[in-house]
Amino acid sequence: MLPCFCVMRMSSIRKGSIGEMKVTIDLLLRGYNVYTPVVDDKGIDLIVSNGDLFRKVQCKSHSNYFSTSVEVNMRGCDRADVVAVPIKPINRVCYIESGASDRAVNIAIAESISGQKLKRRWWEDYLEFPW
């Protein structure tokens, strides 16, 4: 029998779980306390505490490996304080304050093909966790 070198196609639930784990690891490495809800039916994936304050976090995964930016759909994030987005190509987590936009946030991860520079927000702008 020949060995199989194919990659298993991941379900959206599996991708979401991996994204939540990446966000959890990033927050733990920053020294924050991270709690997971027993039931995730209100759009809150994690509760984060710095010892004094608590923030509700929703994690958003994506599958953009070959794009110059990641668009984060902010609809349905109104119950969360922060939206966390693990950015695969750069292996970093970006944090967006939930009230930052009512529709979408575009995070640039590479120079655009058209060379656009104005009004372009880079991934480095979203590295700090918003308290």
Side-chain angles (χ1 to χ4, degrees):
M1 186 180 339
L2 295 173
C4 178
F5 294 105
C6 57
V7 176
M8 179 182 77
R9 184 174 169 95
M10 283 195 273
S11 70
S12 60
I13 293 172
R14 184 176 294 253
K15 288 177 192 175
S17 295
I18 291 169
E20 288 176 24
M21 288 180 200
K22 287 182 178 186
V23 172
T24 300
I25 290 167
D26 185 66
L27 292 167
L28 289 170
L29 288 171
R30 292 169 182 253
Y32 300 134
N33 298 315
V34 181
Y35 308 95
T36 56
V38 174
V39 178
D40 177 14
D41 62 355
K42 301 291 185 199
I44 304 301
D45 298 313
L46 305 171
I47 305 292
V48 179
S49 172
N50 65 1
D52 296 322
L53 301 172
F54 289 88
R55 301 288 287 202
K56 297 176 287 189
V57 177
Q58 183 176 26
C59 301
K60 291 276 196 170
S61 295
H62 67 90
S63 57
N64 292 355
Y65 276 107
F66 305 107
S67 180
T68 61
S69 65
V70 172
E71 184 173 281
V72 181
N73 183 350
M74 298 296 283
R75 290 190 184 107
C77 298
D78 52 330
R79 290 191 173 135
D81 301 312
V82 177
V83 175
V85 185
I87 308 289
K88 295 174 194 168
I90 57 172
N91 199 27
R92 299 299 289 268
V93 177
C94 292
Y95 299 98
I96 306 164
E97 196 152 11
S98 186
S101 174
D102 57 343
R103 293 188 359 220
V105 173
N106 201 305
I107 303 172
I109 57 175
E111 291 290 332
S112 73
I113 296 168
S114 67
Q116 176 189 359
K117 295 190 186 307
L118 295 175
K119 297 184 181 179
R120 199 158 155 88
R121 297 285 312 264
W122 288 87
W123 61 272
E124 292 100 335
D125 299 330
Y126 298 101
L127 292 179
E128 294 301 317
F129 187 84
W131 287 103

